[in-house]
Amino acid sequence: MSIILVLLLVSGGVIAFAVRQLVSAYIIDKTDNQLTNQAGLVINNIDQLQHADNNSTLNGNLFFVQFRDANYNIESTPLIPKLQGSVVSVLKLPSSGSLAGIQFGQPFTTEAQVQVSSGSVSRSSLKVAMSPWRVVALQFTVKDPDSGDVTRGVALIGLSLHDMQDTLGIITKYFLVVGIATIVFATVMATIAVDRTLLPLKRIEKTAAKIANGDLSQRVPSAPENTEVGSLSASLNQMLARIEQSFREQRETTEKMKRFVSDASHELRTPLAAIHGYAELYKMQRDYPGALERADESIDRIEKSSTRMAALVEDLLSLARMDEGRGIDLNQKAKLNGIVADSAEDLHALDPDRAIRLGGVTVTGADTPLVAADGKKLEPARLEFREGKLEPVTIQGDPARLRQVITNIVGNIHRYTPSDSPVEMGLSVLTASLPHVDLGKMPSTDVSLDQFIQAVQVASSTGSGRQFAVIRVADHGPGMTPESRQMIFERFYTADPSRAREKGGTGLGMAIAQSAVKAHHGLICASETTGGGLTFTVIIPIPEEAQNAETKGAQTASATQNPSESVRPTKA
């Protein structure tokens, strides 16, 4: 506001000065023309002007006339304006006998000297008398008709500039009054406009204060983005959303780290305590009869505890390396069909009575719309197993880590499901309309899996999309509750609250599997098997260059069958 007020004052002063100078120059120019054009008329009517001047108080006759001879000596001053109260205005002119460089025909301005005879003097008379004069010097020649003599001289004719000063004074007062009124009005209107314009900024200030107090959920009120304030609000809201997300992720990471350290300490403390306890027990009983047999038993328990601790430390090391982006090489070629077939072979060796079926994965209802013609929502599409031969699928990735993913899934099936419950293991390449989505950033939930299935439906209707390798491993065991499925990929999580270790689990297998899949920019989800059980779905994107190689490989593999891809002859 101060800057606006100063600009208004400066602008008004400049305009007033320019107008004053313009009017002054115009009046002086008219006065000069009047002096030049009416010089002869004034000289010829000196008698009448003298008579009028002597019989009027303020006649408006402001002419001054002085005659000088050829040597510039003063001969007479026939016309000196007299004002009310016998106020006389006498011009300051060069002394007798000199013109002091005055040029003939060039008007000039000179000051006045006021002479007061007697009596009271009005302010208006003094003002008129003190006004400057505009004077012009003219040469004249007079010829005597009787003698024929020629007389030469100089006439100094002056006209008061009182009218100019009066006009300039009126203009100055007018500009002063109008300028003050304009500045006051502009200041009031500018204050209202600025306050109204800055109101969103005040809201932003209040929001920033709340955010500074720790409330990161606050957002700046929105405004039209075609304005500066609106653009600022949108940028601030975007920045605040990212800051809030970063703080939330940092808080979650901190909580996970605390829980991870606590769980790791708990898991490591148990085998260490067992080793220490059995070592102490051996020392206590080594001098008693039968110490050799008890020593063998203690050493066996120590070995089991150390083996468990070594496996736990190895899993922790694997997780730490993958969190740092190390311990995994994505520049290799991984044959997923071979990994799935080998894992099925391992599970069959562990549980010979378990029925294992190999095949592909398809999406039921991929060609049907999401909504029926009558507006009713149709049965949602889902992934289903299709028994048959494993199709050859090769992707760019780390085969050792991908094998570890399937091995961990198979290990969970072996530990937590009955040995005679059937298992389906499917592998296929599906096209989904997710060209710019990084599956590794999506949460491992049913919502993400449904989003992928819907993208498969869209790709099926449009005929375009990106190819993804989909591995589906489904068991028909006891399954898990929805709450447990949401936590299955957390580190050290086990569905058994008592943390029973007779089954050999550390609670890190699924966390390692998730880290490995995310490193491949893929998605792993745990969902309920239709009819009961648990289904793991692994989705990994296939690069375009690998897709062309895969097509050629499929044509070659159609002539021969890999023995490791055959369906296992197992018991029903």
mmCIF file with all atom_site columns, all heavy atoms in Angstrom, residues 500-523:
data_model
loop_
_atom_site.group_PDB
_atom_site.id
_atom_site.type_symbol
_atom_site.label_atom_id
_atom_site.label_alt_id
_atom_site.label_comp_id
_atom_site.label_asym_id
_atom_site.label_entity_id
_atom_site.label_seq_id
_atom_site.pdbx_PDB_ins_code
_atom_site.Cartn_x
_atom_site.Cartn_y
_atom_site.Cartn_z
_atom_site.occupancy
_atom_site.B_iso_or_equiv
_atom_site.pdbx_formal_charge
_atom_site.auth_seq_id
_atom_site.auth_comp_id
_atom_site.auth_asym_id
_atom_site.auth_atom_id
_atom_site.pdbx_PDB_model_num
ATOM 1   N N   . ALA A 1 500 ? 5.392  -70.922 17.319  1.00 0.00 ? 500 ALA A N   1
ATOM 2   C CA  . ALA A 1 500 ? 5.916  -72.290 17.416  1.00 0.00 ? 500 ALA A CA  1
ATOM 3   C C   . ALA A 1 500 ? 6.929  -72.515 16.314  1.00 0.00 ? 500 ALA A C   1
ATOM 4   O O   . ALA A 1 500 ? 6.715  -72.163 15.173  1.00 0.00 ? 500 ALA A O   1
ATOM 5   C CB  . ALA A 1 500 ? 4.773  -73.291 17.310  1.00 0.00 ? 500 ALA A CB  1
ATOM 6   N N   . ARG A 1 501 ? 8.049  -73.131 16.659  1.00 0.00 ? 501 ARG A N   1
ATOM 7   C CA  . ARG A 1 501 ? 9.137  -73.288 15.690  1.00 0.00 ? 501 ARG A CA  1
ATOM 8   C C   . ARG A 1 501 ? 9.344  -74.733 15.271  1.00 0.00 ? 501 ARG A C   1
ATOM 9   O O   . ARG A 1 501 ? 10.350 -75.052 14.665  1.00 0.00 ? 501 ARG A O   1
ATOM 10  C CB  . ARG A 1 501 ? 10.438 -72.736 16.282  1.00 0.00 ? 501 ARG A CB  1
ATOM 11  C CG  . ARG A 1 501 ? 10.365 -71.233 16.491  1.00 0.00 ? 501 ARG A CG  1
ATOM 12  C CD  . ARG A 1 501 ? 11.540 -70.723 17.268  1.00 0.00 ? 501 ARG A CD  1
ATOM 13  N NE  . ARG A 1 501 ? 11.465 -69.281 17.436  1.00 0.00 ? 501 ARG A NE  1
ATOM 14  C CZ  . ARG A 1 501 ? 10.707 -68.679 18.341  1.00 0.00 ? 501 ARG A CZ  1
ATOM 15  N NH1 . ARG A 1 501 ? 9.966  -69.414 19.151  1.00 0.00 ? 501 ARG A NH1 1
ATOM 16  N NH2 . ARG A 1 501 ? 10.678 -67.368 18.421  1.00 0.00 ? 501 ARG A NH2 1
ATOM 17  N N   . GLU A 1 502 ? 8.387  -75.568 15.635  1.00 0.00 ? 502 GLU A N   1
ATOM 18  C CA  . GLU A 1 502 ? 8.597  -76.957 15.260  1.00 0.00 ? 502 GLU A CA  1
ATOM 19  C C   . GLU A 1 502 ? 8.507  -77.169 13.756  1.00 0.00 ? 502 GLU A C   1
ATOM 20  O O   . GLU A 1 502 ? 8.980  -78.167 13.221  1.00 0.00 ? 502 GLU A O   1
ATOM 21  C CB  . GLU A 1 502 ? 7.595  -77.864 15.982  1.00 0.00 ? 502 GLU A CB  1
ATOM 22  C CG  . GLU A 1 502 ? 6.131  -77.599 15.645  1.00 0.00 ? 502 GLU A CG  1
ATOM 23  C CD  . GLU A 1 502 ? 5.527  -76.521 16.532  1.00 0.00 ? 502 GLU A CD  1
ATOM 24  O OE1 . GLU A 1 502 ? 6.296  -75.908 17.301  1.00 0.00 ? 502 GLU A OE1 1
ATOM 25  O OE2 . GLU A 1 502 ? 4.303  -76.293 16.434  1.00 0.00 ? 502 GLU A OE2 1
ATOM 26  N N   . LYS A 1 503 ? 7.898  -76.160 13.029  1.00 0.00 ? 503 LYS A N   1
ATOM 27  C CA  . LYS A 1 503 ? 7.786  -76.298 11.576  1.00 0.00 ? 503 LYS A CA  1
ATOM 28  C C   . LYS A 1 503 ? 8.943  -75.629 10.846  1.00 0.00 ? 503 LYS A C   1
ATOM 29  O O   . LYS A 1 503 ? 9.005  -75.674 9.618   1.00 0.00 ? 503 LYS A O   1
ATOM 30  C CB  . LYS A 1 503 ? 6.462  -75.706 11.109  1.00 0.00 ? 503 LYS A CB  1
ATOM 31  C CG  . LYS A 1 503 ? 5.261  -76.480 11.660  1.00 0.00 ? 503 LYS A CG  1
ATOM 32  C CD  . LYS A 1 503 ? 3.948  -75.903 11.182  1.00 0.00 ? 503 LYS A CD  1
ATOM 33  C CE  . LYS A 1 503 ? 2.753  -76.679 11.724  1.00 0.00 ? 503 LYS A CE  1
ATOM 34  N NZ  . LYS A 1 503 ? 1.460  -76.137 11.291  1.00 0.00 ? 503 LYS A NZ  1
ATOM 35  N N   . GLY A 1 504 ? 9.817  -74.985 11.585  1.00 0.00 ? 504 GLY A N   1
ATOM 36  C CA  . GLY A 1 504 ? 11.049 -74.477 10.968  1.00 0.00 ? 504 GLY A CA  1
ATOM 37  C C   . GLY A 1 504 ? 10.928 -73.122 10.319  1.00 0.00 ? 504 GLY A C   1
ATOM 38  O O   . GLY A 1 504 ? 11.861 -72.688 9.654   1.00 0.00 ? 504 GLY A O   1
ATOM 39  N N   . GLY A 1 505 ? 9.824  -72.390 10.475  1.00 0.00 ? 505 GLY A N   1
ATOM 40  C CA  . GLY A 1 505 ? 9.673  -71.090 9.818   1.00 0.00 ? 505 GLY A CA  1
ATOM 41  C C   . GLY A 1 505 ? 10.281 -69.967 10.641  1.00 0.00 ? 505 GLY A C   1
ATOM 42  O O   . GLY A 1 505 ? 10.302 -70.006 11.860  1.00 0.00 ? 505 GLY A O   1
ATOM 43  N N   . THR A 1 506 ? 10.805 -68.947 9.945   1.00 0.00 ? 506 THR A N   1
ATOM 44  C CA  . THR A 1 506 ? 11.369 -67.768 10.608  1.00 0.00 ? 506 THR A CA  1
ATOM 45  C C   . THR A 1 506 ? 10.508 -66.530 10.441  1.00 0.00 ? 506 THR A C   1
ATOM 46  O O   . THR A 1 506 ? 10.778 -65.497 11.057  1.00 0.00 ? 506 THR A O   1
ATOM 47  C CB  . THR A 1 506 ? 12.769 -67.464 10.043  1.00 0.00 ? 506 THR A CB  1
ATOM 48  O OG1 . THR A 1 506 ? 12.660 -67.156 8.653   1.00 0.00 ? 506 THR A OG1 1
ATOM 49  C CG2 . THR A 1 506 ? 13.699 -68.639 10.240  1.00 0.00 ? 506 THR A CG2 1
ATOM 50  N N   . GLY A 1 507 ? 9.499  -66.596 9.571   1.00 0.00 ? 507 GLY A N   1
ATOM 51  C CA  . GLY A 1 507 ? 8.657  -65.424 9.331   1.00 0.00 ? 507 GLY A CA  1
ATOM 52  C C   . GLY A 1 507 ? 9.251  -64.446 8.346   1.00 0.00 ? 507 GLY A C   1
ATOM 53  O O   . GLY A 1 507 ? 8.754  -63.326 8.209   1.00 0.00 ? 507 GLY A O   1
ATOM 54  N N   . LEU A 1 508 ? 10.316 -64.818 7.640   1.00 0.00 ? 508 LEU A N   1
ATOM 55  C CA  . LEU A 1 508 ? 10.959 -63.937 6.676   1.00 0.00 ? 508 LEU A CA  1
ATOM 56  C C   . LEU A 1 508 ? 10.803 -64.397 5.236   1.00 0.00 ? 508 LEU A C   1
ATOM 57  O O   . LEU A 1 508 ? 11.187 -63.678 4.310   1.00 0.00 ? 508 LEU A O   1
ATOM 58  C CB  . LEU A 1 508 ? 12.460 -63.805 6.989   1.00 0.00 ? 508 LEU A CB  1
ATOM 59  C CG  . LEU A 1 508 ? 12.826 -63.118 8.304   1.00 0.00 ? 508 LEU A CG  1
ATOM 60  C CD1 . LEU A 1 508 ? 14.329 -63.168 8.514   1.00 0.00 ? 508 LEU A CD1 1
ATOM 61  C CD2 . LEU A 1 508 ? 12.346 -61.676 8.305   1.00 0.00 ? 508 LEU A CD2 1
ATOM 62  N N   . GLY A 1 509 ? 10.254 -65.587 5.026   1.00 0.00 ? 509 GLY A N   1
ATOM 63  C CA  . GLY A 1 509 ? 10.176 -66.142 3.674   1.00 0.00 ? 509 GLY A CA  1
ATOM 64  C C   . GLY A 1 509 ? 9.352  -65.285 2.743   1.00 0.00 ? 509 GLY A C   1
ATOM 65  O O   . GLY A 1 509 ? 9.782  -64.949 1.624   1.00 0.00 ? 509 GLY A O   1
ATOM 66  N N   . MET A 1 510 ? 8.138  -64.878 3.183   1.00 0.00 ? 510 MET A N   1
ATOM 67  C CA  . MET A 1 510 ? 7.283  -64.078 2.310   1.00 0.00 ? 510 MET A CA  1
ATOM 68  C C   . MET A 1 510 ? 7.814  -62.648 2.154   1.00 0.00 ? 510 MET A C   1
ATOM 69  O O   . MET A 1 510 ? 7.615  -62.022 1.110   1.00 0.00 ? 510 MET A O   1
ATOM 70  C CB  . MET A 1 510 ? 5.862  -64.061 2.872   1.00 0.00 ? 510 MET A CB  1
ATOM 71  C CG  . MET A 1 510 ? 5.131  -65.388 2.738   1.00 0.00 ? 510 MET A CG  1
ATOM 72  S SD  . MET A 1 510 ? 4.926  -65.912 1.007   1.00 0.00 ? 510 MET A SD  1
ATOM 73  C CE  . MET A 1 510 ? 6.282  -67.075 0.811   1.00 0.00 ? 510 MET A CE  1
ATOM 74  N N   . ALA A 1 511 ? 8.483  -62.126 3.185   1.00 0.00 ? 511 ALA A N   1
ATOM 75  C CA  . ALA A 1 511 ? 9.083  -60.798 3.058   1.00 0.00 ? 511 ALA A CA  1
ATOM 76  C C   . ALA A 1 511 ? 10.200 -60.815 2.017   1.00 0.00 ? 511 ALA A C   1
ATOM 77  O O   . ALA A 1 511 ? 10.334 -59.878 1.216   1.00 0.00 ? 511 ALA A O   1
ATOM 78  C CB  . ALA A 1 511 ? 9.623  -60.338 4.412   1.00 0.00 ? 511 ALA A CB  1
ATOM 79  N N   . ILE A 1 512 ? 10.997 -61.885 2.012   1.00 0.00 ? 512 ILE A N   1
ATOM 80  C CA  . ILE A 1 512 ? 12.047 -62.021 0.993   1.00 0.00 ? 512 ILE A CA  1
ATOM 81  C C   . ILE A 1 512 ? 11.429 -62.166 -0.389  1.00 0.00 ? 512 ILE A C   1
ATOM 82  O O   . ILE A 1 512 ? 11.896 -61.563 -1.367  1.00 0.00 ? 512 ILE A O   1
ATOM 83  C CB  . ILE A 1 512 ? 12.947 -63.229 1.326   1.00 0.00 ? 512 ILE A CB  1
ATOM 84  C CG1 . ILE A 1 512 ? 13.726 -62.960 2.619   1.00 0.00 ? 512 ILE A CG1 1
ATOM 85  C CG2 . ILE A 1 512 ? 13.904 -63.532 0.179   1.00 0.00 ? 512 ILE A CG2 1
ATOM 86  C CD1 . ILE A 1 512 ? 14.547 -64.141 3.086   1.00 0.00 ? 512 ILE A CD1 1
ATOM 87  N N   . ALA A 1 513 ? 10.358 -62.937 -0.487  1.00 0.00 ? 513 ALA A N   1
ATOM 88  C CA  . ALA A 1 513 ? 9.689  -63.113 -1.780  1.00 0.00 ? 513 ALA A CA  1
ATOM 89  C C   . ALA A 1 513 ? 9.146  -61.787 -2.298  1.00 0.00 ? 513 ALA A C   1
ATOM 90  O O   . ALA A 1 513 ? 9.286  -61.457 -3.486  1.00 0.00 ? 513 ALA A O   1
ATOM 91  C CB  . ALA A 1 513 ? 8.565  -64.137 -1.636  1.00 0.00 ? 513 ALA A CB  1
ATOM 92  N N   . GLN A 1 514 ? 8.543  -61.012 -1.423  1.00 0.00 ? 514 GLN A N   1
ATOM 93  C CA  . GLN A 1 514 ? 8.002  -59.719 -1.847  1.00 0.00 ? 514 GLN A CA  1
ATOM 94  C C   . GLN A 1 514 ? 9.121  -58.775 -2.296  1.00 0.00 ? 514 GLN A C   1
ATOM 95  O O   . GLN A 1 514 ? 8.997  -58.094 -3.320  1.00 0.00 ? 514 GLN A O   1
ATOM 96  C CB  . GLN A 1 514 ? 7.214  -59.084 -0.705  1.00 0.00 ? 514 GLN A CB  1
ATOM 97  C CG  . GLN A 1 514 ? 6.527  -57.771 -1.100  1.00 0.00 ? 514 GLN A CG  1
ATOM 98  C CD  . GLN A 1 514 ? 5.944  -57.055 0.095   1.00 0.00 ? 514 GLN A CD  1
ATOM 99  O OE1 . GLN A 1 514 ? 6.619  -56.911 1.110   1.00 0.00 ? 514 GLN A OE1 1
ATOM 100 N NE2 . GLN A 1 514 ? 4.703  -56.615 -0.011  1.00 0.00 ? 514 GLN A NE2 1
ATOM 101 N N   . SER A 1 515 ? 10.215 -58.731 -1.558  1.00 0.00 ? 515 SER A N   1
ATOM 102 C CA  . SER A 1 515 ? 11.333 -57.860 -1.937  1.00 0.00 ? 515 SER A CA  1
ATOM 103 C C   . SER A 1 515 ? 11.916 -58.259 -3.286  1.00 0.00 ? 515 SER A C   1
ATOM 104 O O   . SER A 1 515 ? 12.248 -57.402 -4.120  1.00 0.00 ? 515 SER A O   1
ATOM 105 C CB  . SER A 1 515 ? 12.410 -57.896 -0.861  1.00 0.00 ? 515 SER A CB  1
ATOM 106 O OG  . SER A 1 515 ? 11.921 -57.403 0.369   1.00 0.00 ? 515 SER A OG  1
ATOM 107 N N   . ALA A 1 516 ? 12.029 -59.568 -3.527  1.00 0.00 ? 516 ALA A N   1
ATOM 108 C CA  . ALA A 1 516 ? 12.573 -60.039 -4.798  1.00 0.00 ? 516 ALA A CA  1
ATOM 109 C C   . ALA A 1 516 ? 11.646 -59.693 -5.962  1.00 0.00 ? 516 ALA A C   1
ATOM 110 O O   . ALA A 1 516 ? 12.099 -59.269 -7.032  1.00 0.00 ? 516 ALA A O   1
ATOM 111 C CB  . ALA A 1 516 ? 12.818 -61.542 -4.736  1.00 0.00 ? 516 ALA A CB  1
ATOM 112 N N   . VAL A 1 517 ? 10.344 -59.858 -5.749  1.00 0.00 ? 517 VAL A N   1
ATOM 113 C CA  . VAL A 1 517 ? 9.387  -59.550 -6.824  1.00 0.00 ? 517 VAL A CA  1
ATOM 114 C C   . VAL A 1 517 ? 9.365  -58.048 -7.098  1.00 0.00 ? 517 VAL A C   1
ATOM 115 O O   . VAL A 1 517 ? 9.334  -57.607 -8.254  1.00 0.00 ? 517 VAL A O   1
ATOM 116 C CB  . VAL A 1 517 ? 7.983  -60.068 -6.445  1.00 0.00 ? 517 VAL A CB  1
ATOM 117 C CG1 . VAL A 1 517 ? 6.948  -59.585 -7.464  1.00 0.00 ? 517 VAL A CG1 1
ATOM 118 C CG2 . VAL A 1 517 ? 7.977  -61.588 -6.390  1.00 0.00 ? 517 VAL A CG2 1
ATOM 119 N N   . LYS A 1 518 ? 9.372  -57.210 -6.038  1.00 0.00 ? 518 LYS A N   1
ATOM 120 C CA  . LYS A 1 518 ? 9.379  -55.765 -6.239  1.00 0.00 ? 518 LYS A CA  1
ATOM 121 C C   . LYS A 1 518 ? 10.653 -55.314 -6.936  1.00 0.00 ? 518 LYS A C   1
ATOM 122 O O   . LYS A 1 518 ? 10.640 -54.336 -7.696  1.00 0.00 ? 518 LYS A O   1
ATOM 123 C CB  . LYS A 1 518 ? 9.224  -55.054 -4.895  1.00 0.00 ? 518 LYS A CB  1
ATOM 124 C CG  . LYS A 1 518 ? 7.812  -55.097 -4.318  1.00 0.00 ? 518 LYS A CG  1
ATOM 125 C CD  . LYS A 1 518 ? 7.714  -54.319 -3.035  1.00 0.00 ? 518 LYS A CD  1
ATOM 126 C CE  . LYS A 1 518 ? 6.287  -54.293 -2.516  1.00 0.00 ? 518 LYS A CE  1
ATOM 127 N NZ  . LYS A 1 518 ? 5.363  -53.557 -3.425  1.00 0.00 ? 518 LYS A NZ  1
ATOM 128 N N   . ALA A 1 519 ? 11.772 -55.996 -6.677  1.00 0.00 ? 519 ALA A N   1
ATOM 129 C CA  . ALA A 1 519 ? 13.011 -55.655 -7.376  1.00 0.00 ? 519 ALA A CA  1
ATOM 130 C C   . ALA A 1 519 ? 12.886 -55.893 -8.871  1.00 0.00 ? 519 ALA A C   1
ATOM 131 O O   . ALA A 1 519 ? 13.581 -55.248 -9.667  1.00 0.00 ? 519 ALA A O   1
ATOM 132 C CB  . ALA A 1 519 ? 14.169 -56.463 -6.802  1.00 0.00 ? 519 ALA A CB  1
ATOM 133 N N   . HIS A 1 520 ? 12.004 -56.806 -9.272  1.00 0.00 ? 520 HIS A N   1
ATOM 134 C CA  . HIS A 1 520 ? 11.719 -57.064 -10.696 1.00 0.00 ? 520 HIS A CA  1
ATOM 135 C C   . HIS A 1 520 ? 10.559 -56.209 -11.199 1.00 0.00 ? 520 HIS A C   1
ATOM 136 O O   . HIS A 1 520 ? 10.006 -56.492 -12.278 1.00 0.00 ? 520 HIS A O   1
ATOM 137 C CB  . HIS A 1 520 ? 11.391 -58.550 -10.906 1.00 0.00 ? 520 HIS A CB  1
ATOM 138 C CG  . HIS A 1 520 ? 12.571 -59.460 -10.786 1.00 0.00 ? 520 HIS A CG  1
ATOM 139 N ND1 . HIS A 1 520 ? 13.072 -59.868 -9.569  1.00 0.00 ? 520 HIS A ND1 1
ATOM 140 C CD2 . HIS A 1 520 ? 13.376 -60.031 -11.736 1.00 0.00 ? 520 HIS A CD2 1
ATOM 141 C CE1 . HIS A 1 520 ? 14.112 -60.663 -9.773  1.00 0.00 ? 520 HIS A CE1 1
ATOM 142 N NE2 . HIS A 1 520 ? 14.328 -60.775 -11.067 1.00 0.00 ? 520 HIS A NE2 1
ATOM 143 N N   . HIS A 1 521 ? 10.171 -55.171 -10.416 1.00 0.00 ? 521 HIS A N   1
ATOM 144 C CA  . HIS A 1 521 ? 9.048  -54.291 -10.759 1.00 0.00 ? 521 HIS A CA  1
ATOM 145 C C   . HIS A 1 521 ? 7.749  -55.068 -10.903 1.00 0.00 ? 521 HIS A C   1
ATOM 146 O O   . HIS A 1 521 ? 6.904  -54.745 -11.744 1.00 0.00 ? 521 HIS A O   1
ATOM 147 C CB  . HIS A 1 521 ? 9.336  -53.517 -12.056 1.00 0.00 ? 521 HIS A CB  1
ATOM 148 C CG  . HIS A 1 521 ? 10.628 -52.757 -12.033 1.00 0.00 ? 521 HIS A CG  1
ATOM 149 N ND1 . HIS A 1 521 ? 10.813 -51.602 -11.299 1.00 0.00 ? 521 HIS A ND1 1
ATOM 150 C CD2 . HIS A 1 521 ? 11.832 -53.031 -12.623 1.00 0.00 ? 521 HIS A CD2 1
ATOM 151 C CE1 . HIS A 1 521 ? 12.058 -51.180 -11.454 1.00 0.00 ? 521 HIS A CE1 1
ATOM 152 N NE2 . HIS A 1 521 ? 12.704 -52.027 -12.240 1.00 0.00 ? 521 HIS A NE2 1
ATOM 153 N N   . GLY A 1 522 ? 7.617  -56.108 -10.089 1.00 0.00 ? 522 GLY A N   1
ATOM 154 C CA  . GLY A 1 522 ? 6.431  -56.955 -10.156 1.00 0.00 ? 522 GLY A CA  1
ATOM 155 C C   . GLY A 1 522 ? 5.571  -56.841 -8.917  1.00 0.00 ? 522 GLY A C   1
ATOM 156 O O   . GLY A 1 522 ? 5.817  -56.042 -8.008  1.00 0.00 ? 522 GLY A O   1
ATOM 157 N N   . LEU A 1 523 ? 4.549  -57.686 -8.874  1.00 0.00 ? 523 LEU A N   1
ATOM 158 C CA  . LEU A 1 523 ? 3.560  -57.669 -7.800  1.00 0.00 ? 523 LEU A CA  1
ATOM 159 C C   . LEU A 1 523 ? 3.326  -59.095 -7.323  1.00 0.00 ? 523 LEU A C   1
ATOM 160 O O   . LEU A 1 523 ? 3.225  -60.021 -8.139  1.00 0.00 ? 523 LEU A O   1
ATOM 161 C CB  . LEU A 1 523 ? 2.239  -57.063 -8.311  1.00 0.00 ? 523 LEU A CB  1
ATOM 162 C CG  . LEU A 1 523 ? 1.046  -57.104 -7.363  1.00 0.00 ? 523 LEU A CG  1
ATOM 163 C CD1 . LEU A 1 523 ? 1.259  -56.183 -6.175  1.00 0.00 ? 523 LEU A CD1 1
ATOM 164 C CD2 . LEU A 1 523 ? -0.239 -56.720 -8.108  1.00 0.00 ? 523 LEU A CD2 1
#
